[in-house]
Amino acid sequence: DIISPISGIVFNSNFQIENSPSEINLFDWNGASTSGDKLDAGIYIYRVTVRSIRDGAKKQDYKKLILIN
């Protein structure tokens, strides 16, 4: 999820990768919200959540994204 402090969640992507290696490059993002609008330049907070299919273990982290248009 990419979260904007003003408008709430603006982008969400769910997917499953089976038998994955320890590092995965998941997807390219075009800078648009779930409604298709380009996001304004600014600082956003994003959340990454990973869950093990094998035992259900979950890891979640928040990071900063600086978007320059």
Side-chain angles (χ1 to χ4, degrees):
D1 300 336
I2 297 176
I3 303 169
S4 164
I6 296 172
S7 61
I9 296 175
V10 294
F11 176 77
N12 186 329
S13 181
N14 294 309
F15 43 85
Q16 179 175 318
I17 300 171
E18 296 187 28
N19 301 321
S20 64
S22 61
E23 183 175 324
I24 301 169
N25 295 317
L26 299 173
F27 58 89
D28 290 326
W29 175 53
N30 66 2
S33 69
T34 52
S35 63
D37 299 325
K38 283 280 196 185
L39 297 181
D40 291 332
I43 299 173
Y44 295 84
I45 305 299
Y46 68 92
R47 178 179 65 198
V48 176
T49 304
V50 179
R51 182 182 306 269
S52 170
I53 295 173
R54 183 178 303 145
D55 64 5
K58 180 179 171 182
K59 173 71 175 156
Q60 180 171 292
D61 200 4
Y62 290 87
K63 297 290 181 179
K64 180 174 30 177
L65 170 72
I66 301 172
L67 185 61
I68 301 170
N69 292 341

